[in-house]
Amino acid sequence: MFSSSALAPSTSERSSGAAGPAGGGKAHVLQPYLDCIRHSLNASLCLQNFASQIVERHNKPEIEARGSPELLLNPLIICRSEDEKCMIETSVNSVRVSIRIKQADSTEEILAQKFARFLMQRADNFVVLRRKPMDGYDISFLITNFHLEQMHKHKLIDFIVQFVEEINKEISEMKLNVNTRARLVGQEFLREFVF
């Protein structure tokens, strides 16, 4: 049996105000969404080597080839809102993770498209990043059994979760920078008309 003191935070933890891994603020609000993605990916990434049932000596990601419907599981969609969601599609030897980035206005839409395009042009450097996202999503990752043989499963999950967490911060910072720059340009332009 556990004592109540073992489960409760110590007085030093309470007084220091340690916020845990979330860190507080916006990350604290995002944490249940990130936890759900983390646990779903952990369950989905149980992949094994599986040769094609149609073509001999071929081993293609079944989630991309879609040659045998019995090898595909139902897709799992995790929604934080209509504009921010994650779809996890699982098969016997591959998982495809598609992410829709929150875009509140036209500025964020343009920034998200440019940022996603910038990343997808450098997909070779990310190994698991797809060059073209799924329809309705901004960025997609493809993880195969070969990736899991070369990399640690928990680090791949951490990478995707951290990517989801950081991309919103990046786009918010870029939007602030664009607005600040536009304000300064407007002020300089209007100074020409002052007598």
Side-chain angles (χ1 to χ4, degrees), residues 83-184:
D83 298 328
E84 190 173 9
K85 57 187 173 180
C86 174
M87 180 171 64
I88 301 172
E89 299 169 285
T90 307
S91 71
V92 68
N93 66 352
S94 56
V95 171
R96 183 168 49 204
V97 181
S98 301
I99 298 165
R100 180 161 172 77
I101 304 165
K102 184 183 77 164
Q103 299 162 18
D105 57 12
S106 59
T107 305
E108 285 186 3
E109 284 179 24
I110 293 168
L111 290 172
Q113 287 172 359
K114 295 288 185 188
F115 192 61
R117 188 164 171 255
F118 173 82
L119 290 174
M120 286 183 285
Q121 287 176 341
R122 290 148 183 82
D124 294 340
N125 297 336
F126 287 100
V127 181
V128 294
L129 186 66
R130 288 182 82 227
R131 287 198 178 274
K132 188 171 189 279
M134 295 301 297
D135 290 336
Y137 293 87
D138 298 309
I139 292 177
S140 293
F141 297 96
L142 178 67
I143 302 169
T144 64
N145 61 301
F146 299 116
H147 294 134
L148 288 180
E149 290 170 5
Q150 297 168 357
M151 301 177 228
H152 295 288
K153 175 181 169 180
H154 67 278
K155 293 202 175 185
L156 265 174
I157 293 170
D158 288 343
F159 167 73
I160 292 175
V161 170
Q162 184 179 5
F163 181 86
V164 171
E165 185 177 7
E166 295 293 324
I167 195 153
N168 288 330
K169 291 179 188 172
E170 288 287 331
I171 289 176
S172 296
E173 286 176 13
M174 284 192 284
K175 184 180 176 184
L176 286 173
N177 290 340
V178 166
N179 289 341
T180 304
R181 197 169 187 182
R183 189 180 322 108
L184 291 173

Side-chain angles (χ1 to χ4, degrees), residues 14-129:
R14 276 185 259 143
S15 63
S16 66
K26 190 172 183 177
H28 181 65
V29 175
L30 196 62
Q31 198 59 42
Y33 176 65
L34 297 175
D35 288 342
C36 189
I37 292 173
R38 180 183 303 278
H39 295 307
S40 300
L41 281 173
N42 194 28
S44 297
L45 287 175
C46 297
L47 307 176
Q48 62 184 8
N49 194 3
F50 193 84
S52 173
Q53 294 179 326
I54 298 169
V55 181
E56 189 176 340
R57 294 178 180 245
H58 275 248
N59 190 341
K60 303 255 180 189
E62 286 295 327
I63 201 69
E64 297 278 328
R66 296 195 174 272
S68 304
E70 67 271 8
L71 301 176
L72 306 175
L73 295 176
N74 291 330
L76 174 68
I77 299 176
I78 304 165
C79 290
R80 186 162 180 245
S81 68
E82 281 297 318
D83 298 328
E84 190 173 9
K85 57 187 173 180
C86 174
M87 180 171 64
I88 301 172
E89 299 169 285
T90 307
S91 71
V92 68
N93 66 352
S94 56
V95 171
R96 183 168 49 204
V97 181
S98 301
I99 298 165
R100 180 161 172 77
I101 304 165
K102 184 183 77 164
Q103 299 162 18
D105 57 12
S106 59
T107 305
E108 285 186 3
E109 284 179 24
I110 293 168
L111 290 172
Q113 287 172 359
K114 295 288 185 188
F115 192 61
R117 188 164 171 255
F118 173 82
L119 290 174
M120 286 183 285
Q121 287 176 341
R122 290 148 183 82
D124 294 340
N125 297 336
F126 287 100
V127 181
V128 294
L129 186 66

